[in-house]
Amino acid sequence: MQMLNEVNNIDIAPYFKLSEFACPCCRQVILHPLLLKKLSKLRETVNRPLYITSGYRCLGYNRKVGGIKTSYHLLGLAADVRAKGMSALDLLEYAEIINFSGIGFYEKRNFLHLDVRPTKQSRWRG
Ligand SMILES: [Zn+2]
Ligand SMILES: [Zn+2]
């Protein structure tokens, strides 16, 4: 049904729609406002499109993609992101300035995991 494609098709910030953060298997979505705020700041800073390759994940989907049990994707606190025409390494510099509390650098697959975990800062390479 055509109409179902419109689920979550809602502008939630100048550069983002809610649907971009939804779980691909069930379209459910949880999104923390701080994550959206920081991603919006990142979008404005790099001044080019950001692609959310993974936002909220339900338990089943997180298991399917091999996410860890305590993944912040399950809580709406994390997004995997790449920027159009920019390496993950370059994007990393901007993400550090914006100070996401969790940053995973996935060089080979060319994306960053960014999160707003409430606990202490974490940095890793995947
Ligand atoms: Zn799902
Ligand atoms: Zn991630």
Side-chain angles (χ1 to χ4, degrees), residues 25-81:
C25 85
C26 58
R27 302 190 197 199
Q28 291 181 77
V29 60
I30 298 174
L31 175 61
H32 196 284
L34 183 60
L35 180 64
L36 182 61
K37 192 176 160 186
K38 283 182 179 278
L39 288 172
S40 293
K41 205 181 272 182
L42 182 64
R43 170 63 180 81
E44 280 161 21
T45 309
V46 300
N47 195 29
R48 59 179 74 209
L50 290 185
Y51 304 121
I52 309 297
T53 59
S54 185
Y56 170 69
R57 296 175 191 163
C58 70
L59 269 175
Y61 185 71
N62 188 57
R63 213 174 291 133
K64 193 177 152 192
V65 297
I68 58 169
K69 269 190 205 161
T70 54
S71 173
Y72 289 99
H73 287 277
L74 296 165
L75 303 175
L77 297 178
D80 296 341
V81 176

